[in-house]
Amino acid sequence: MYDPSMRVLTVLELLQARETVTGAELARRLEVSPRTVQRYVARLQDLGIPVEGRRGVGGAYRLKPGFRLPPLMFTGEEALSLALGLQALRHLGLQALAPAAQAAGAKLGRTLPHPLRELVGALEDAVQLGASPGVVTTDAALLARLLEAVRAARTVGFEYVSLHGEATARAVDVYRAVHLGGRWYAVGWCHLRGARRCFRLDRMRGLSVQEESFTPPEAFDALAYLRATLSDLPPTHEISVWLASPPGELAGRVSPWHTDLTPEGGGARLKTQREDLEGFAAFVLGLGCDFRVDSPPQLREVFGRLAGRCAAAQAGHTLAHDPGPCAGRPAAG
């Protein structure tokens, strides 16, 4: 599991995290004998760490009350885990925390001994974390307030905006915050619906923590509930379409709700999310400008089906109303 020096440091970390820790628990966590735990404790005492203990059955250890060692000692794996975790924040849709993550990374670097700092820096430079498709930017401050409410088991109030832009006031007992499929969700009991529900954080507005408290259910698996719920919903597609018309000419014709419209190549790049691809395809055709579908592939398939239906309808119109160039002429031969 660890080399002996790492086991000694682990004993110190466990003692700092708990008021008292039994020798049996330390032995189990470190996968060593109780006698070996006694040697690790003695080593800490030799280093000047005031570890107090009582012997015998049920013996336990603790740090002298009031003693606190700053957490400046990290193993290489611990330091790398922290550094990569800070880098990964933006891939959880929390770009607003990027400055804080950079500052925390700088502080981490200052706490490491020079060889370890160089090692972590080299490993960071050797790793690239690509952005996952479909990651939705989430308000970090809103997430922080939500987590505060989860910790305190307090009801939250917010306005929730549906896919169609309709807003309803909600009061929810949130059991867990869950990140799944590039989005953050709140899972809990909705007072309005009188049932468990899940809510996307990017559709919440004006979240506030209420005075009302609740008792969360025991052993509730919010992730499993969310997966089961989402499997019953129509898929939400991430759409990226180039329109041969500048944004200014599309003003008033393209809804700004959950839609990103930016200039690109003499036209406009439209990015949005939709469940109904056929409805969106009809909307694009109604804009009356040339376009190119970059994603998703399913949208190109929808346009292909529409083109086939249009061709069939046009052919049927021609057969019914256009006699053609040979109509009324005697048959050849």
Side-chain angles (χ1 to χ4, degrees):
M1 178 182 175
Y2 307 105
D3 61 42
S5 62
M6 292 303 101
R7 287 192 173 101
V8 172
L9 291 177
T10 301
V11 170
L12 177 57
E13 291 296 332
L14 291 171
L15 291 173
Q16 289 195 111
R18 305 267 292 277
E19 183 175 349
T20 61
V21 186
T22 66
E25 182 176 355
L26 288 172
R28 184 175 65 255
R29 294 285 293 273
L30 298 174
E31 300 177 355
V32 297
S33 68
R35 184 176 297 276
T36 302
V37 169
Q38 293 175 10
R39 290 203 301 269
Y40 293 157
V41 171
R43 178 58 178 156
L44 288 173
Q45 291 170 336
D46 291 342
L47 293 171
I49 307 298
V51 181
E52 300 176 344
R54 64 175 186 268
R55 298 182 179 276
V57 179
Y61 300 95
R62 70 171 186 173
L63 290 176
K64 182 179 179 180
F67 175 83
R68 197 69 183 170
L69 185 68
L72 301 182
M73 295 183 295
F74 296 102
T75 66
E77 289 184 350
E78 289 171 344
L80 180 60
S81 298
L82 291 170
L84 294 180
L86 292 172
Q87 284 192 26
L89 280 175
R90 70 191 64 183
H91 301 294
L92 294 177
L94 301 173
Q95 288 87 336
L97 294 181
Q102 187 173 4
K107 291 178 181 178
L108 172 64
R110 290 195 297 271
T111 67
L112 299 176
H114 183 70
L116 187 54
R117 181 165 62 247
E118 286 191 338
L119 173 61
V120 170
L123 290 172
E124 284 183 313
D125 292 340
V127 172
Q128 285 185 299
L129 300 179
S132 301
V135 174
V136 177
T137 300
T138 297
D139 184 345
L142 184 147
L143 176 60
R145 290 194 299 274
L146 183 70
L147 294 177
E148 173 192 347
V150 172
R151 179 184 61 82
R154 302 270 290 278
T155 301
V156 296
F158 55 87
E159 188 177 67
Y160 195 65
V161 183
S162 72
L163 271 175
H164 306 291
E166 301 169 349
T168 55
R170 302 294 183 106
V172 179
D173 302 338
V174 179
Y175 306 147
R176 292 287 187 277
V178 181
H179 187 265
L180 179 65
R183 297 183 177 87
W184 282 96
Y185 296 86
V187 177
W189 183 267
C190 177
H191 292 207
L192 179 65
R193 304 303 185 200
R196 287 175 178 168
R197 291 289 188 271
C198 56
F199 302 90
R200 282 174 46 175
L201 267 64
D202 58 300
R203 294 184 188 165
M204 293 181 179
R205 301 291 183 270
L207 185 141
S208 61
V209 182
Q210 310 296 314
E211 292 296 328
E212 183 180 356
S213 61
F214 64 92
T215 301
E218 295 183 6
F220 175 66
D221 191 335
L223 180 58
Y225 171 83
L226 180 61
R227 282 175 170 158
T229 300
L230 295 182
S231 67
D232 295 334
L233 298 177
T236 300
H237 301 277
E238 301 290 335
I239 295 173
S240 180
V241 175
W242 180 81
L243 303 172
S245 183
E249 295 182 6
L250 297 171
R253 303 168 63 195
V254 176
S255 170
W257 187 82
H258 278 252
T259 299
D260 185 21
L261 193 65
T262 56
E264 181 183 313
R269 168 67 57 185
L270 187 154
K271 292 184 177 180
T272 187
Q273 302 167 12
R274 290 292 187 275
E275 294 178 357
D276 180 11
L277 289 182
E278 287 211 2
F280 180 79
F283 157 75
V284 171
L285 291 173
L287 293 175
C289 64
D290 292 338
F291 62 90
R292 182 183 72 245
V293 176
D294 291 322
S295 64
Q298 295 94 322
L299 182 57
R300 289 193 287 270
E301 295 171 2
V302 168
F303 276 113
R305 291 197 298 271
L306 290 177
R309 285 158 56 185
C310 289
Q314 180 63 26
H317 176 81
T318 300
L319 292 174
H321 301 286
D322 186 356
C326 298
R329 298 179 184 177

